[in-house]
Amino acid sequence: MTEKKLGSFKDEKLPPQHIAIIMDGNGRWAKSKHLPRSSGHQKGVQSVRKIVKHCGQLGVNTLTLFAFSSENLNRSSEEVGLLFKLFLTVLKNETTKLNDNNIKLKIIGDLSVFTPEIQRLAIDAEKQLKNNNGLNLVIAANYGGQWDIAESAKKIAIKSVNGEIDPEKIDASLFHAHSSLADFPKVDLLIRTSGELRISNFLLWEIAYSELYFCNTLWPNFDEHELDAAIEAFHLRERRFGKRNGEK
Ligand code: IPE
Ligand code: IPE
Ligand code: MG
């Protein structure tokens, strides 16, 4: 069987502007190969590289990746330590490659739990890549959708108390403007790998009208062809935004 050409939909249709991915299944991938969970997470980084590059080539505006949820802090200290170490290594080793690919970076989440070194590397990486104008890569680390909503509420409350915002003027767009993804297009497509059918406190506010795509592939096996399949499925969806078929 000949393999389908990557990005073959590209000539007819625009890719989704903003794709978000819950990268799940690293542990099960490792288990299936009788390897330690750490190998699953390491292999998962290879999928990240492939998908970031492919999104850049397809002309996707923003890719948001769920790397580490606020609830993942409740895993064993061994695994949390491992994930922190991997985050550190990725920040150290990948920034130059991201720069070569004209990628801009934003890290969202409560970064205060990370070591000072990780926090500094995260800020430095964002700074180093800030003048690029290719793909916007957003990494959600120690991120929770509920945390993000509470943070927006807090920022608005402080501005209201200081007299910078009239509480009567608080609406959905003002709320959105105070959220972590305020500077990016709306999330068109949310993908979750590994067969779990839940959001696990990832983006909550932002997925009001996102198309949801679940696949059984474990994240370390997710590649460019899998992403193309998700995008093709997205193109077959009819997005009505509350209107009726065909209404403009
Ligand atoms: C996703 O893989 C990566 C993180 C949550 C950090 P998991 O570690 O959740 O893998 P499974 O779900 O146990 O297979
Ligand atoms: C969600 O996966 C978090 C990330 C992929 C980073 P989990 O594996 O933590 O989610 P649950 O616990 O199965 O809901
Ligand atoms: Mg999981």
Side-chain angles (χ1 to χ4, degrees), residues 162-227:
N162 292 343
E164 292 163 51
I165 286 178
D166 172 359
E168 288 297 333
K169 300 257 162 68
I170 299 171
D171 60 8
S173 74
L174 187 121
F175 199 92
H176 179 70
H178 288 82
S179 68
S180 296
L181 293 182
D183 298 335
F184 305 101
K186 291 219 158 62
V187 177
D188 294 310
L189 173 62
L190 172 77
I191 298 171
R192 182 171 190 150
T193 61
S194 90
E196 306 293 358
L197 305 179
R198 55 178 171 266
I199 301 300
S200 301
N201 197 19
F202 188 31
L203 307 171
L204 298 177
W205 173 268
E206 292 79 4
I207 59 166
Y209 261 109
S210 306
E211 294 297 327
L212 309 181
Y213 179 88
F214 297 96
C215 64
N216 290 329
T217 311
L218 303 172
W219 178 251
N221 290 330
F222 195 88
D223 63 8
E224 299 89 339
H225 293 281
E226 296 273 343
L227 184 69

Side-chain angles (χ1 to χ4, degrees), residues 38-163:
S38 55
S39 311
H41 295 312
Q42 270 156 9
K43 183 84 171 125
V45 174
Q46 292 181 21
S47 298
V48 170
R49 280 195 204 105
K50 287 183 199 164
I51 297 310
V52 167
K53 191 159 178 227
H54 194 45
C55 280
Q57 286 166 345
L58 290 176
V60 170
N61 179 293
T62 305
L63 173 68
T64 298
L65 298 175
F66 202 10
F68 185 81
S69 79
S70 35
E71 288 72 26
N72 289 151
L73 266 190
N74 301 324
R75 292 191 179 185
S76 69
S77 54
E78 191 195 349
E79 184 162 358
V80 172
L82 200 102
L83 289 167
F84 277 29
K85 215 169 147 204
L86 195 60
F87 190 31
L88 180 106
T89 313
V90 166
L91 285 169
K92 267 192 184 157
N93 297 345
E94 304 290 325
T95 309
T96 309
K97 271 178 242 160
L98 293 176
N99 200 26
D100 293 343
N101 287 299
N102 195 23
I103 290 166
K104 220 170 154 158
L105 177 72
K106 177 159 171 119
I107 297 168
I108 61 171
D110 178 3
L111 300 189
S112 66
V113 298
F114 294 108
T115 60
E117 188 184 15
I118 293 182
Q119 293 185 41
R120 187 180 45 75
L121 283 168
I123 294 170
D124 287 353
E126 285 181 344
K127 262 198 209 144
Q128 195 186 327
L129 305 174
K130 82 174 192 316
N131 293 326
N132 289 340
N133 60 6
L135 175 75
N136 289 302
L137 173 63
V138 181
I139 303 288
N142 192 30
Y143 178 88
Q146 292 179 338
W147 168 85
D148 204 351
I149 290 172
E151 281 295 299
S152 305
K154 198 197 292 175
K155 285 181 201 153
I156 293 171
I158 292 170
K159 287 190 187 170
S160 298
V161 170
N162 292 343

Side-chain angles (χ1 to χ4, degrees), residues 2-19:
T2 53
E3 263 204 345
K4 208 165 167 194
K5 201 171 141 251
L6 282 180
S8 51
F9 53 83
K10 219 176 145 189
D11 303 335
E12 302 117 56
K13 290 200 166 120
L14 291 173
Q17 286 247 84
H18 189 161
I19 299 176

